[in-house]
Amino acid sequence: MPDMSASASLAITHLVPLAKELDEDKVTPGVLGFIVFAVMALAVWALMKSMNRHMGRVDFPEAEDPESRSEGDTEAVASGGKKKNG
């Protein structure tokens, strides 16, 4: 099996001079990075707008709280909607 540490150290010795040639102040994401970021921001904005529109259309019928009903209302619901008189 070949010695991996020797090949790794050889690769590092060849890459170190290349890394020193780069000026740290000149490395930027550039125009392509800005375009990708802007497209992603527009996509998130469009998704949020669509979600807001769809959530506005949702209508959940709320169930009444059983504790807030009075006795007469409970009997009327149990008898099929016919309220007893007397």
Side-chain angles (χ1 to χ4, degrees):
M1 183 166 209
D3 187 18
M4 295 301 286
S5 62
S7 61
S9 65
L10 182 62
I12 288 175
T13 57
H14 286 290
L15 291 177
V16 168
L18 293 176
K20 287 183 180 179
E21 291 177 9
L22 292 176
D23 187 12
E24 292 179 6
D25 295 330
K26 293 184 181 179
V27 177
T28 63
V31 177
L32 181 63
F34 174 75
I35 291 171
V36 169
F37 183 78
V39 168
M40 288 174 59
L42 287 173
V44 168
W45 176 78
L47 285 171
M48 292 295 290
K49 187 173 181 179
S50 174
M51 183 190 68
N52 193 18
R53 185 177 59 231
H54 281 85
M55 291 300 288
R57 293 180 186 171
V58 174
D59 184 28
F60 292 108
E62 294 185 22
E64 292 183 27
D65 188 18
E67 295 175 3
S68 67
R69 293 184 179 171
S70 65
E71 282 292 321
D73 292 342
T74 307
E75 291 174 5
V77 170
S79 65
K82 297 178 184 174
K83 194 171 184 179
K84 295 180 183 179
N85 292 333

